[in-house]
Amino acid sequence: YYDRIVKNAKYDSIPNRIWRKLSSTVLKGELYNYFENETDFARQLNGFLPNVKFRGFEVQKSSNDAEKQSTNESAIGRTAEDIGEVESNNGLRNLVSTLKNDLGVKRVLCWHALHGYWRGVSPFLANTITHQPVGNVMLDRNTSSTPPINTERSAVSPSDSIPEHSEHLLRVEPIISWDSVSLFGVGLLSSRADLRTFYQRLHSPLKDAGVDGVKIDVQSGVAAVGGGSGGGPHLAKLYTETMENSV
C-alpha cells in the first residue's frame, strides 16, 4: 500500500493525509523501531572522541618481536573500560598512520553531517560529552536514554525540537512529513558561540589523529529543519559559516 499509493501521492491528497495521521499516531512506534533497527537516519551524535570501534587498532609494527609480545601481554586481563579513551584516540591515529605510511593513501577525510549526525546532536551534550564514547545512540520517544558513562562537562547547549516544515517544502518532498527528524525531532545548536565550541570539539580529535579534512553531509537538511529555529536560511548560514571557519 505504501509503495503503490502513499509514496508517490501528492501533498495533502487523501492518501498523504491518511498516512501523515497514521505515522504520527498508531504507526509511530513501528516507525521508531524501523528507523532505530534498520537505518542510521534516526541517530544523534552523543560524543566527540573516537568511539570503541577504534580501540586496540594495532598498526605500529615494531621490528622487535619481543617488544610486541610484551605489549600484547600487558593488555591481558584489561577490560574495555580499562583500555578506555587512550586506545580509542590512539586507534584512530594508528589507523590514519597505516593508511598513509603503509598503504600509500595521500589524504584521509572523515564524514560528518553539518549538524553532527543524521538527527543532529543528542540533548545529553547540554550537560556532558562522552569521555569514552560508545557511538551514536537514538533517543526514545520521550527524548530520554541511558546517559553516556565516564563523562566530562560540555560547553554547548543543544535543544531537541520538531521542525516546522513550510508548505512549499512539503509540496516538493511530501514524504518528509514522516521521516525520523519530523517524527522524533532534531538536536540543534542555535548560537554561534555554541557552534564554534561544537566544531572545535568535533574537529580537534580528527586533526590530532592526522586526518586531513572532513566531508560535510546533510547541508540541505539543516536548512530544511530551520522552521521554528530562526528559519532555514538563517540556520544554514550560521552552521555553514562556523563550520567553514573551523576547517
Side-chain angles (χ1 to χ4, degrees):
Y1 173 77
Y2 179 82
D3 288 335
R4 184 167 51 90
I5 298 176
V6 176
K7 189 174 181 179
N8 296 316
K10 293 183 178 180
Y11 172 70
D12 226 24
S13 63
I14 291 177
N16 178 271
R17 280 185 282 170
I18 291 174
W19 193 261
R20 275 162 40 205
K21 183 65 174 179
L22 291 174
S23 65
S24 63
T25 54
V26 296
L27 291 180
K28 191 171 183 179
E30 292 299 320
L31 289 170
Y32 171 88
N33 291 331
Y34 167 74
F35 285 126
E36 181 180 24
N37 297 318
E38 304 295 332
T39 79
D40 288 327
F41 298 124
R43 302 186 184 279
Q44 294 182 304
L45 186 73
N46 74 346
F48 296 114
L49 301 176
N51 65 20
V52 295
K53 290 182 285 188
F54 294 97
R55 287 181 184 169
F57 190 89
E58 183 181 345
V59 297
Q60 300 299 329
K61 301 179 179 61
S62 170
S63 59
N64 188 327
D65 290 338
E67 179 181 339
K68 288 197 292 184
Q69 179 68 22
S70 175
T71 300
N72 291 336
E73 288 176 352
S74 69
I76 295 176
R78 296 170 68 198
T79 65
E81 289 74 16
D82 294 329
I83 295 171
E85 161 192 344
V86 173
E87 288 200 7
S88 293
N89 290 341
N90 289 340
L92 178 59
R93 186 180 299 111
N94 293 341
L95 173 60
V96 173
S97 176
T98 291
L99 292 173
K100 292 183 176 181
N101 298 330
D102 296 352
L103 302 178
V105 175
K106 295 186 180 302
R107 300 187 69 195
V108 176
L109 306 180
C110 286
W111 175 100
H112 71 76
L114 181 61
H115 57 332
Y117 210 60
W118 295 108
R119 275 185 58 226
V121 295
S122 167
F124 285 122
L125 289 184
N127 298 313
T128 59
I129 64 169
T130 53
H131 201 53
Q132 290 183 163
V134 294
N136 298 298
V137 296
M138 181 173 180
L139 304 178
D140 70 14
R141 300 182 196 93
N142 297 316
T143 65
S144 63
S145 183
T146 302
I149 61 171
N150 295 339
T151 58
E152 63 183 16
R153 283 289 177 182
S154 172
V156 298
S157 300
S159 59
D160 203 58
S161 60
I162 303 293
E164 301 172 8
H165 299 305
S166 68
E167 183 177 332
H168 304 289
L169 178 61
L170 292 172
R171 290 191 180 280
V172 173
E173 193 73 22
I175 64 175
I176 201 174
S177 296
W178 51 83
D179 69 5
S180 62
V181 168
S182 299
L183 291 178
F184 305 110
V186 58
L188 297 173
L189 299 167
S190 57
S191 78
R192 193 175 297 274
D194 271 356
L195 282 169
R196 279 196 297 264
T197 300
F198 169 71
Y199 285 121
Q200 189 274 329
R201 301 295 291 269
L202 187 62
H203 293 154
S204 289
L206 302 180
K207 182 179 179 181
D208 292 343
V211 173
D212 300 291
V214 288
K215 190 275 184 187
I216 308 298
D217 206 347
V218 202
Q219 296 188 50
S220 62
V222 170
V225 299
S229 300
H234 164 76
L235 198 64
K237 182 173 185 289
L238 190 63
Y239 268 88
T240 303
E241 288 183 347
T242 313
M243 177 273 296
E244 289 177 344
N245 289 333
S246 175
V247 298

